[in-house]
Amino acid sequence: MIFHILNRGNARDRIFENDADYAAFEKVLAETQAEVFVRILSYCLMPNHWHLVLWPLKGGDLGRFMQQLTTTHVRRWHLHHHTVGTRHLYQGTYKSFPIEEDDHLDTVLPYVKRNAVRPTMVEWAEDWTWNSLLRWLHPTEHHEKPILFPWPIPRPNDWVTRVNRALTKNEPEAVQASVVRGRPFGSESWQEATAKQLDSKPHSAPEVARKRQSTITNPNLLDLSPFLRPKRSRIEILRTIIRCARTRAVIPGAFRVPLDQIIEIILNRQAAIPRRIRTHNLKTMIIHQCRHDGTLFVK
């Protein structure tokens, strides 16, 4: 099943300030594709949002792919801009919408690619550096960009012309209606069948996304509750945090604070942590520091 994925900056703020920010996201996208294989059909990066069209091989791949992509991007973005723990980068969990593999997919693909065609940006889609059309037109010149895969529907011979041709009024409205209403994009019968199929699969990609959205406020958070217990030594706590940091693990629980902030607090102030520490003592230290920095997240 093919999905249209999108996300926006928090409060519609910019995600990409300059070319380096765009290139960094493409690098993370390519790295994620190499680790969690998902076929990328199309993408377009805009100043305050992005669109992806992804075709996972099996259920669960989309959730794993998007978690690694967004978590890695958020972490690197904050480290690069020196804003770790200050604010959310994204407005929330990404949105995903299944697409029927017919004329509906043929509508979404040019819609995504021509996002930058507007008076304030570019006149032609191929002039926008940060979309997949450039990779498709010049694959050998842009090998650092994510790998694109063949579509399940025929690509028109006049594809670039098709992308640059103004969409009819109904085409973008239909795609936007799918986004606003949060429903699959396809014929009515296909929408009903797809909704039933996804509801019947507890491990389908949208179900994983809904579960993650309900339990995780920020994808770059670390839950401390599993190891905030009495009689755990300082080295055990440090090892647990470092292991979670290396694997970018996000463990569901009740007490969450930004992962990078916790690592910084613990590693920079480990001398203040007694060898045998009780839950209350570590929580007090972390809460005090995070409140001072305005970075506390408690559910």
Side-chain angles (χ1 to χ4, degrees), residues 10 15-16 20 33 42 59-60 65 85 96 112 129 222 229 243 285:
N10 188 33
I15 301 173
F16 309 107
Q33 186 184 37
S42 181
F65 181 94
S96 63
V112 168
T129 305
L222 173 67
R229 296 195 299 268
R243 183 170 65 252
M285 183 191 73

Side-chain angles (χ1 to χ4, degrees), residues 110-259:
Y111 169 84
V112 168
K113 281 188 169 63
R114 64 174 285 112
N115 242 248
V117 178
R118 54 188 69 187
T120 58
M121 299 185 70
V122 295
E123 184 177 0
W124 309 105
E126 61 268 30
D127 292 337
W128 183 244
T129 305
W130 312 109
N131 70 24
S132 54
L133 185 59
L134 201 64
R135 168 73 191 237
W136 181 75
L137 288 172
H138 310 287
T140 58
E141 298 177 18
H142 299 279
H143 56 83
E144 74 284 355
K145 292 179 178 284
I147 298 173
L148 302 177
F149 282 79
W151 303 346
I153 61 174
R155 187 192 296 263
N157 293 329
D158 61 342
W159 172 235
V160 177
T161 303
R162 167 82 171 86
V163 171
N164 285 307
R165 186 187 307 139
L167 299 174
T168 66
K169 181 181 178 180
N170 292 335
E171 288 177 325
E173 287 182 353
V175 177
Q176 290 163 10
S178 169
V179 172
V180 172
R181 297 173 185 174
R183 67 184 186 186
F185 184 58
S187 61
E188 290 187 12
S189 59
W190 181 85
Q191 287 182 28
E192 293 177 2
T194 301
K196 291 179 181 178
Q197 178 185 357
L198 295 178
D199 288 341
S200 66
K201 292 183 177 181
H203 299 295
S204 64
E207 183 68 23
V208 171
R210 286 196 295 270
K211 183 177 180 181
R212 181 172 296 113
Q213 187 174 19
S214 66
T215 59
I216 299 175
T217 304
N218 184 327
N220 196 30
L221 303 184
L222 173 67
D223 175 32
L224 297 178
S225 57
F227 53 88
L228 287 179
R229 296 195 299 268
K231 297 184 179 180
R232 293 204 65 175
S233 68
R234 179 182 66 186
I235 191 64
E236 288 177 313
I237 295 174
L238 291 176
R239 283 175 178 170
T240 303
I241 292 175
I242 293 170
R243 183 170 65 252
C244 290
R246 286 175 177 170
T247 60
R248 293 185 289 276
V250 180
I251 312 168
F255 185 80
R256 301 190 184 94
V257 293
L259 171 59

